[in-house]
């Protein structure tokens, strides 16, 4: 990652270099007796460069350069994002410029590249591997390094940052050079530049499995993510899409179960057939069967005409049964028969109709617990649980938040014809710390509201985001113009009010550091010295906790 940008920004100032090296040295741990290496509290591996080169070569040979590039770039992005999060947790009050400057030093420490502020990148392991394997290239080859730079800068700034390589040693240049900008400011991006961020790139079917000439294009443009959880779900969808197996999406409300179901449909062999969705929780119990199986004229009062149900309407395609745990038990039995026999009877009719429907179901409850409680049929559960896919909540894949925010911001700015400068740093921090009970759907609604509330040409701040009664669980602090600590968004709607216990703590402590030290030490004692458990108790990363408790112990010893 070259710190030089297109606008001519420089690398870290000379005064930063010593602090950066000391900070990195403080956070490297080698424990050869137990086979562990740690950097900022996360486990690392020493990997032979020759093994990495061989793996890269095999990916290129098996998948081709485009797919190999997507995989390697995404891997680099995840590494950079993780490093950026760990740096932030341990950074204290250091300026953002210094934290950004740690990225190139980290990547050099990890052995991938040496950075020179003026000359650009030298000793790029990826460029050397590409030259050794394929010879001179017609396109840049430092895929992981570019991904790392994008992920690291995105984590540090809270804004999606995209880096592009414009010169590469693998192309015959003397150095490798990269340019970084906020994602929204690039006007000439190609699909190759951003494909690793989108679901299409790793959910799309191989050519041998692709649907026929009548197939519709994949509808995954509104699905982005780089987290391990997102990747895992997308990979499972890709595997099961070509089959005709029943799929059961599991996860909390708002995680995107219907979007993944539509994604599966868009890359399946049934893509040119209907996708019919029904929310089982939204239908009165007495109408469930008529909605699913249809009704004949005169079957009951008000049935003045015959009409097909969702099964018939989905014939040849996919029927998506959302919130299936809410189905009443009698309807569950009839649904089971329809799945087993592939035939249905309309309400008030004796005629049996054959249907060819692939079932995709979704539930936000634990169906095994529902079975044990007697609220869900065991035989129906096993019929549906052929290929379960659990979608993790947004709080467990926070690295996707900046990308989703950028996507939703573009969508709503265009819809409302409004120019928005972006989000303030405090707003990004608040989104990171929020617990997200409503998941991706809640984030989308929050950004829509914020775009409406913010001024034309202005930036979205905490008060625009948290104006719907949401509670910010973590109090946020920043540095004011005089260098003093200040609480961010103290008067923002939805902030948790200060209560009497907090007032009493403030009365007893002489400074914020005293309060922090006491909290850290008490958590460590309650967890019997287990730093990981204490970090979880305080909703902190382990690296952040270890850094702060060490400082607290040093202050106690003074």
């Amino acid at each position: 990652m070259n710190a030089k940008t297109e606008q001519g920004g420089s690398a870290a100032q000379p005064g930063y270099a010593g602090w950066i090296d000391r900070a990195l040295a403080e956070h490297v741990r080698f424990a050869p007796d137990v086979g562990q290496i740690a950097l900022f509290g996360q486990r690392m591996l020493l990997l032979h460069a020759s093994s990495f080169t061989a793996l890269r070569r095999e990916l290129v040979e098996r998948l081709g350069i485009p797919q190999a590039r997507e995989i390697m770039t995404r891997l680099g992005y995840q590494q950079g994002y993780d490093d950026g999060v760990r740096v932030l947790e341990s950074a204290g009050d250091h300026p953002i410029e210094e934290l950004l400057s740690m990225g190139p030093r980290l990547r050099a420490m990890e052995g991938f590249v040496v950075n020179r502020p003026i000359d650009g990148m030298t000793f790029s392991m990826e460029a050397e591997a590409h030259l050794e394997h394929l010879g001179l290239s017609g396109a840049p080859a430092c895929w992981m390094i570019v991904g790392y730079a994008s992920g690291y800068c995105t984590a540090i700034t809270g804004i999606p940052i995209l880096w592009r390589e414009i010169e590469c040693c693998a192309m015959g240049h003397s150095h490798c050079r990269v340019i970084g900008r906020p994602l929204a400011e690039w006007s000439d991006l190609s699909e190759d530049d951003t494909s690793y961020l989108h679901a299409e790139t790793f959910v799309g079917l191989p050519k041998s499995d692709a649907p026929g000439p009548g197939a519709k294009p994949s509808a995954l443009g509104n699905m982005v993510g780089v987290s391990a959880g997102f990747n895992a779900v997308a990979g499972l969808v890709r595997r099961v899409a070509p089959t005709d197996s029943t799929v059961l999406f599991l996860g909390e409300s708002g995680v995107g179960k219907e979007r993944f179901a539509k994604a599966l449909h868009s890359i399946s062999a049934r893509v040119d057939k209907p996708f019919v969705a029904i929310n089982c929780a939204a239908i009165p119990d007495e109408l469930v069967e008529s909605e699913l199986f249809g009704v004949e004229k005169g079957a009951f009062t008000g049935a003045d005409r015959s009409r097909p149900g969702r099964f018939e309407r989905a014939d040849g395609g996919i029927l998506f049964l959302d919130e299936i745990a809410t189905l009443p038990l009698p309807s569950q039995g009839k649904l089971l028969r329809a799945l087993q026999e592939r035939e249905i009877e309309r309400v008030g009719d004796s005629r049996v109709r054959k249907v060819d429907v692939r079932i995709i179901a979704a539930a936000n409850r634990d169906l095994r617990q529902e079975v044990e409680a007697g609220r869900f049929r065991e035989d129906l559960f096993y019929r549906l649980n052929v290929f379960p896919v659990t979608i993790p909540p947004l709080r467990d894949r926070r690295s996707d938040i900046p990308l989703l925010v950028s996507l939703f911001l573009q969508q709503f700015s265009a819809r409302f014809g409004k120019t928005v400068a972006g989000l303030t740093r405090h707003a990004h921090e608040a989104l990171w710390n929020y617990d997200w009970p409503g998941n991706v759907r809640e984030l989308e609604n929050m950004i829509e509201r914020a775009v409406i509330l913010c001024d034309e040409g202005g930036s979205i701040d905490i008060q625009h985001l948290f104006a719907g009664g949401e509670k910010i669980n973590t109090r946020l602090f920043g540095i004011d113009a005089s260098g003093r600590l200040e609480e961010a968004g103290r008067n923002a709607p939805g902030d948790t009010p200060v209560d009497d216990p907090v007032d009493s703590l403030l009365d007893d402590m002489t400074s914020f550091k005293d309060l922090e030290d006491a909290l850290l030490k008490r958590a460590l004692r309650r967890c019997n010295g287990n730093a990981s458990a204490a970090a979880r108790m305080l909703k902190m990363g382990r690296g952040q906790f270890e850094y702060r408790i060490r400082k607290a112990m040093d202050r106690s010893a003074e």
Side-chain angles (χ1 to χ4, degrees), residues 292-312:
L292 286 175
F293 308 122
V295 62
E296 278 296 292
K297 181 179 180 181
F300 50 78
T301 303
D304 54 356
R305 60 185 178 86
S306 298
R307 60 179 176 83
R310 305 297 177 100
F311 266 88
E312 288 183 72

Side-chain angles (χ1 to χ4, degrees), residues 126-189:
E126 283 191 277
E128 290 185 359
H130 198 94
L131 284 169
E132 179 183 339
H133 173 213
L134 297 171
L136 206 61
S137 173
C142 299
W143 307 326
M144 281 187 69
I145 293 171
V146 169
Y148 183 94
S150 299
Y152 183 87
C153 294
T154 297
I156 293 295
T157 63
I159 302 169
I161 303 292
L162 182 74
W163 289 76
R164 296 169 71 185
E165 190 174 14
I166 57 172
E167 295 180 11
C168 184
C169 294
M171 300 171 66
H173 297 116
S174 58
H175 298 87
C176 300
R177 296 183 186 276
V178 290
I179 293 175
R181 295 182 192 167
L183 183 62
E185 293 183 12
W186 286 103
S187 59
D188 60 340
L189 292 178

Side-chain angles (χ1 to χ4, degrees), residues 90 97 102 124 178 292-293 390 402 413 436:
S90 306
E97 292 82 2
M102 289 184 75
S124 167
V178 290
L292 286 175
F293 308 122
T390 300
S413 296
W436 297 110

Side-chain angles (χ1 to χ4, degrees), residues 250-257 363-364 391-395 435-439:
L250 302 168
E252 297 177 6
S253 177
V255 293
K257 294 186 289 292
N364 55 21
I391 304 173
L394 186 58
R395 61 182 169 276
D435 198 42
W436 297 110
N439 293 292

Side-chain angles (χ1 to χ4, degrees), residues 44-332:
M44 306 293 288
L45 301 175
L46 280 178
L47 177 67
H48 296 86
S50 59
S51 299
F52 175 84
T53 299
L55 174 62
R56 189 182 193 274
R57 177 167 57 247
E58 186 167 349
L59 285 174
V60 170
E61 290 173 350
R62 287 176 176 265
L63 304 176
I65 286 182
Q67 288 193 46
R69 175 184 177 182
E70 291 163 6
I71 292 172
M72 300 300 286
T73 307
R74 189 179 304 118
L75 178 60
Y77 187 102
Q78 291 169 347
Q79 293 174 343
Y81 198 94
D82 287 346
D83 280 355
V85 169
R86 300 290 179 141
V87 167
L88 273 179
E89 290 176 346
S90 306
D93 300 330
H94 288 282
I96 193 171
E97 292 82 2
E98 294 185 19
L99 304 185
L100 288 171
S101 296
M102 289 184 75
R105 296 291 293 159
L106 266 172
R107 208 50 172 167
M109 175 185 288
E110 293 167 357
F112 282 84
V113 68
V114 174
N115 289 273
R116 297 286 181 262
I118 303 301
D119 297 331
M121 299 186 297
T122 60
F123 191 66
S124 167
M125 185 186 67
E126 283 191 277
E128 290 185 359
H130 198 94
L131 284 169
E132 179 183 339
H133 173 213
L134 297 171
L136 206 61
S137 173
C142 299
W143 307 326
M144 281 187 69
I145 293 171
V146 169
Y148 183 94
S150 299
Y152 183 87
C153 294
T154 297
I156 293 295
T157 63
I159 302 169
I161 303 292
L162 182 74
W163 289 76
R164 296 169 71 185
E165 190 174 14
I166 57 172
E167 295 180 11
C168 184
C169 294
M171 300 171 66
H173 297 116
S174 58
H175 298 87
C176 300
R177 296 183 186 276
V178 290
I179 293 175
R181 295 182 192 167
L183 183 62
E185 293 183 12
W186 286 103
S187 59
D188 60 340
L189 292 178
S190 68
E191 179 61 25
D192 289 341
D193 293 316
T194 60
S195 60
Y196 69 97
L197 300 176
H198 294 268
E200 288 102 328
T201 63
F202 50 103
V203 177
L205 292 174
K207 292 181 180 179
S208 59
D209 296 326
K216 300 174 185 177
S218 175
L220 309 179
N222 60 350
M223 296 180 66
V224 295
V226 292
S227 65
F230 182 84
N231 288 346
V233 173
L236 289 173
V237 169
R238 180 187 184 277
R239 284 179 176 272
V240 76
T243 74
D244 217 24
S245 297
T246 299
V247 178
L248 176 62
F249 285 108
L250 302 168
E252 297 177 6
S253 177
V255 293
K257 294 186 289 292
E258 184 168 357
R259 287 187 177 182
F260 274 107
K262 289 180 177 178
L264 190 155
H265 173 252
S266 72
I267 58 173
S268 74
R270 295 176 180 251
V271 64
D272 57 343
K273 301 296 183 181
F275 176 90
V276 177
I278 180 171
N279 187 334
C280 300
I283 305 172
D285 290 356
E286 63 273 14
L287 297 180
V288 169
E289 292 177 30
S290 61
E291 283 294 324
L292 286 175
F293 308 122
V295 62
E296 278 296 292
K297 181 179 180 181
F300 50 78
T301 303
D304 54 356
R305 60 185 178 86
S306 298
R307 60 179 176 83
R310 305 297 177 100
F311 266 88
E312 288 183 72
R313 289 162 54 187
D315 191 28
I318 288 176
L319 177 61
F320 177 61
L321 302 171
D322 197 9
E323 298 195 52
I324 197 166
T326 63
L327 274 181
L329 283 169
S331 299
Q332 291 179 27

Side-chain angles (χ1 to χ4, degrees), residues 8 41 64 141 151 212 278 336 338 345 363 367 370 375 433 441 472 512 541:
I278 180 171
L336 176 63
E345 291 181 24
L367 289 186
E370 294 297 299
R375 293 187 292 265
N433 284 287
R441 184 187 299 125
I472 305 177
F512 176 76

